[in-house]
Amino acid sequence: MAAKSRIVNVAALQFACSDDAAANVDKAEALVRAAHQKGANIILIQELFEGYYFCQAQREDFFGRAKPRKDHPTILRLQKLAKELGVVIPVSFFEECNNAHYNSVVVIDADGTDLGLYRKSHIPDGPGYQEKFYFNPGDTGFKAFQTKFAKIGVGICWDQWFPEAARAMVLQGAEILFYPTAIGSEPQDTELDSRDHWRRVMQGHAGANLVPLVASNRIGTEVIETEHGESEIKFYGKSFIAGPTGEIVAEANDKEEAILTAQFDLDKIKAKRSSWGVFRDRRPDLYKVLLTSDGTSNMPL
């Protein structure tokens, strides 16, 4: 009997953001349309693409950038676009919900349906990346979204450093992992360059879970006025798509706008994932230590 085949084409977008939301959304739409022309079914736009990465500074006026999910103009526009093109689009946005604020993604299906919300779970706090000032820790938990083309998991930027997040999404059936991102230079240390480390960690998630992985990052230099003067980050791009053994199948450079695409046979990958045995041989009964912060608290004697 011939093996089943379920083909999906994925895309990662990469571009420089201005601080003009309308212009950025126009750019994102143009690149989504171009990715569709290349055959993409699921198209990933980078993290918080409506403007500059404002978390370089702790400024109360930047809370004005947040909007509720309901009737969010960018989400509504991309729902219309997804329906027109018949593509799936995870959409990153700064969410306001009553008195809480989140770094969030909604997943829009190919018919324009809002399939649900994921709120970023791991919130960084360091020079240039002061997200704890703006974002509550996400409360949705990790999810797998059933889209027209595949069941997908979406993490957001700092989530990509945590193998537990990737495994949690794949355990729920995610067949492809997507990570919208905003990462670049470190304002406090010009010699620190995390790009290779960043990529290798996610290649490990793909290989450990035997699923493709798509990462979309921005490019360009952004200067933000902070309470201590100007802060500058040069975003290093290097968006990529990895296959189910962690191999790089498409990669952008650190300077140029890009539309990356790759094709995967999800049924073939599923068969390999099943035969490899990493999910058969898991021992959840031995992983209770993962529910602690220090490896010992509340552990049975």
Side-chain angles (χ1 to χ4, degrees), residues 69-246:
R69 173 189 180 190
K70 181 177 173 57
D71 297 326
H72 191 294
T74 298
I75 294 173
L76 292 175
R77 178 172 172 179
L78 292 179
Q79 283 183 278
K80 182 178 179 182
L81 181 64
K83 183 177 182 179
E84 176 193 340
L85 301 179
V87 298
V88 174
I89 311 174
V91 180
S92 170
F93 70 108
F94 184 10
E95 180 192 6
E96 179 184 81
C97 183
N98 297 321
N99 288 307
H101 298 82
Y102 300 97
N103 188 339
S104 299
V105 163
V106 294
V107 176
I108 301 173
D109 207 359
D111 63 357
T113 301
D114 178 341
L115 294 178
L117 178 76
Y118 169 69
R119 290 168 170 163
K120 186 173 182 176
S121 301
H122 304 97
I123 311 298
D125 186 31
Y129 302 89
Q130 300 176 76
E131 294 195 16
K132 280 186 167 65
F133 182 75
Y134 297 100
F135 306 131
N136 294 73
D139 57 2
T140 58
F142 304 107
K143 295 183 174 184
F145 298 91
Q146 182 62 64
T147 75
K148 176 180 179 180
F149 302 106
K151 199 168 191 179
I152 68 171
V154 183
I156 303 172
C157 201
W158 191 228
D159 288 331
Q160 66 210 177
W161 294 86
F162 295 83
E164 301 91 339
R167 178 53 56 90
M169 290 185 280
V170 179
L171 280 173
Q172 295 176 78
E175 300 172 288
I176 311 171
L177 297 177
F178 292 84
Y179 290 98
T181 302
I183 190 169
S185 59
E186 304 288 336
Q188 85 285 3
D189 184 354
T190 58
E191 299 301 312
L192 179 57
D193 186 345
S194 64
R195 70 186 69 193
D196 292 335
H197 186 189
W198 171 77
R199 184 174 73 173
R200 286 192 296 266
V201 166
M202 285 184 282
Q203 287 180 261
H205 300 335
N209 291 286
L210 283 92
V211 294
L213 185 150
V214 183
S216 171
N217 190 23
R218 65 177 66 195
I219 52 173
T221 299
E222 298 180 10
V223 179
I224 297 287
E225 189 66 39
T226 79
E227 61 275 27
H228 305 297
E230 289 186 345
S231 177
E232 177 181 301
I233 294 179
K234 183 176 182 180
F235 292 91
Y236 54 61
K238 301 294 284 186
S239 301
F240 70 93
I241 301 171
T245 65

Side-chain angles (χ1 to χ4, degrees), residues 25-44:
V25 177
D26 285 347
K27 168 63 72 174
E29 177 174 336
L31 292 179
V32 167
R33 290 185 180 279
H36 171 253
Q37 287 295 314
K38 291 175 175 283
N41 306 123
I42 308 175
I43 303 168
L44 183 64

Side-chain angles (χ1 to χ4, degrees), residues 2-33:
K4 291 194 301 180
S5 178
R6 187 159 54 96
I7 304 298
V8 64
N9 294 283
V10 298
L13 308 184
Q14 174 175 294
F15 59 95
C17 292
S18 70
D19 211 27
D20 180 331
N24 292 325
V25 177
D26 285 347
K27 168 63 72 174
E29 177 174 336
L31 292 179
V32 167
R33 290 185 180 279

